Amino acid sequence: MGKVKSLVIGDLTAGVPVIQGGMGVGVSLSSLAGAVAAEGGIGVISTAQIGYREPDFDDDPIGANLRAIKTEIRKARELAKGGILGVNIMVATRKYEEYVKAAVEAGIDMIISGAGLPMELPKLVGAAKTKLAPIVSSVKSAQVIMRYWWKKYSRLPDAVVIEGPLAGGHLGFHKEQLEDIDGLRYDDEVRAIIEKVDETAAEHETNIPVVMAGGVYTRDDMEHYLDMGASGVQVATRFVTTYECDADAAYKQSYIDAKQEDIVIVQSPVGMPGRAILNPFMKKAKEGQIPHGRCHLCVSTCKPDATPYCITDALVNAVKGNIDDGLLFCGANAYRATKLERVKDIMDEFRP
């Protein structure tokens, strides 16, 4: 059994080696992130349509989001008791550069970035102390990022997050791969990524911790990956059913009510497969296009005229508690939730 130790990322030390995964829209904001940070983990705010509650969101979604990034980081700081805070910013986000700059200006400790390869992230962050952690799903993507960052910016990632096929929301795998997860033998890929990252870190006489995400629900899950050489884990789904989670109570209840067979792979309108709870909305979406209003400028891969439904509308409905008209993204283990928990109790389970 691997000994559980603090997670050290440069000059930051998380006493509990757990990053709380960023969940949009609005599922992980200041309340959840602040609570996780206060307990010694790394609390993460998702910037995906973060300004959905702002009065001008429909008219100026980008402006509303940029404003809300700063507000939520400030509110999380007040709760974090000096703990570490990060943001998750998808590379596919329209105006990605502006979101990164807004988070850096607000003094965020760390940026975690996936849904595409964050090739230019070091340029956007510049000389700021913000730690950078790209999300990868393959050795190839890890290698491409590390080589490019070093060649162009003389910088390496401060940490690398591996997101496996059991994660929630949008996934970096083909639908066929997700239909045979055992056949993927993904632990072999995880070992290979860790080996490649460790090798690169050694060449440059530095340390790049690798954090495993996707399907981590219990301490046993964490220890499995620590034994393989990971330095920590990223946990998302487990934190949805907490009192501190920013989503509506009905959203949390949908996880508690879900059975294993209710968790399905869906084709997102932004062109990627995702994992979600099969609900009336998903059944309706399979039958044909769901009419939607104006575009909320979420991600660059969405084609508003051709999309079967507006993913922003669907995710906002869900987080506000309008479950039957919402998209309920979740990880493969969502069915394991049986009750609401406190963040402190979860963090105590993972504590060294």
Side-chain angles (χ1 to χ4, degrees):
M1 187 180 84
K3 182 147 170 44
V4 180
K5 301 194 286 270
S6 298
L7 173 60
V8 180
I9 303 173
D11 57 0
L12 300 176
T13 300
V16 185
V18 169
I19 297 177
Q20 161 254 311
M23 296 172 282
V25 166
V27 178
S28 65
L29 297 176
S30 53
S31 173
L32 178 56
V36 172
E39 289 298 331
I42 299 178
V44 177
I45 294 165
S46 167
T47 65
Q49 303 296 53
I50 188 172
Y52 77 96
R53 295 179 295 198
E54 296 287 307
D56 59 345
F57 178 68
D58 284 339
D59 297 319
D60 179 17
I62 304 287
N65 288 337
L66 294 174
R67 200 179 320 123
I69 286 171
K70 296 187 175 182
T71 307
E72 290 298 324
I73 290 172
R74 190 182 70 245
K75 283 160 65 178
R77 278 270 174 246
E78 288 163 10
L79 299 169
K81 299 179 181 168
I84 304 167
L85 291 172
V87 287
N88 182 297
I89 310 178
M90 296 187 297
V91 178
T93 304
R94 288 179 201 246
K95 307 286 187 187
Y96 173 74
E97 300 81 2
E98 292 183 36
Y99 285 60
V100 169
K101 286 173 181 171
V104 171
E105 280 169 23
I108 201 67
D109 300 314
M110 184 172 180
I111 293 173
I112 298 167
S113 196
L117 299 183
M119 305 304 276
E120 308 303 331
L121 189 53
K123 177 176 77 177
L124 301 173
V125 171
K129 284 178 64 180
T130 311
K131 303 290 181 280
L132 306 182
I135 298 174
V136 302
S137 295
S138 67
V139 175
K140 188 181 174 188
S141 51
Q143 215 166 356
V144 165
I145 291 167
M146 291 188 297
R147 275 188 186 153
Y148 185 86
W149 282 17
W150 184 256
K151 189 177 175 187
K152 195 153 184 201
Y153 303 113
S154 300
R155 176 154 190 181
L156 291 169
D158 298 290
V160 170
V161 176
I162 303 175
E163 190 171 272
L166 299 176
H170 291 121
L171 301 164
F173 297 86
H174 297 299
K175 202 162 190 289
E176 303 72 46
Q177 293 175 304
L178 296 167
E179 282 160 5
D180 180 21
I181 287 173
D182 290 344
L184 269 176
R185 297 179 59 83
Y186 197 67
D187 275 5
D188 293 345
E189 191 73 16
V190 172
R191 287 188 188 92
I193 296 169
I194 292 171
E195 194 179 320
K196 177 51 67 181
V197 173
D198 286 352
E199 191 184 290
T200 303
E203 278 170 23
H204 295 276
E205 299 180 348
T206 186
N207 180 48
I208 307 172
V210 176
V211 173
M212 182 63 200
V216 181
Y217 199 82
T218 62
R219 186 185 179 99
D220 283 349
D221 298 330
M222 172 176 74
E223 289 181 354
H224 170 73
Y225 291 114
L226 296 183
D227 284 344
M228 284 166 56
S231 298
V233 289
Q234 181 172 287
V235 179
T237 293
R238 179 80 182 270
F239 286 113
V240 171
T241 48
T242 58
Y243 293 99
E244 295 91 342
C245 174
D246 296 86
D248 185 87
Y251 189 104
K252 301 173 190 184
Q253 191 62 40
S254 68
Y255 275 47
I256 293 168
D257 294 340
K259 299 178 178 64
Q260 192 166 5
E261 60 268 25
D262 298 328
I263 297 167
V264 296
I265 300 298
V266 300
Q267 190 59 35
S268 158
V270 303
M272 301 177 227
R275 183 174 277 108
I277 294 173
L278 186 62
N279 67 341
F281 175 79
M282 286 317 311
K283 290 172 185 169
K284 202 161 117 186
K286 280 183 179 176
E287 289 163 14
Q289 196 166 24
I290 297 172
H292 56 88
R294 68 175 87 178
C295 176
H296 292 94
L297 305 175
C298 62
V299 295
S300 51
T301 52
C302 182
K303 298 178 177 61
D305 298 340
T307 185
Y309 59 88
C310 171
I311 193 165
T312 291
D313 289 346
L315 291 169
V316 167
N317 283 342
V319 79
K320 284 181 170 179
N322 180 4
I323 297 305
D324 288 351
D325 292 315
L327 172 57
L328 296 159
F329 274 151
C330 68
N333 286 313
Y335 71 93
R336 292 169 73 175
T338 56
K339 63 182 192 300
L340 285 177
E341 300 181 89
R342 300 213 172 273
V343 163
K344 182 184 187 308
D345 295 332
I346 295 173
M347 296 300 283
D348 284 347
E349 180 186 326
F350 286 93
R351 216 174 281 285

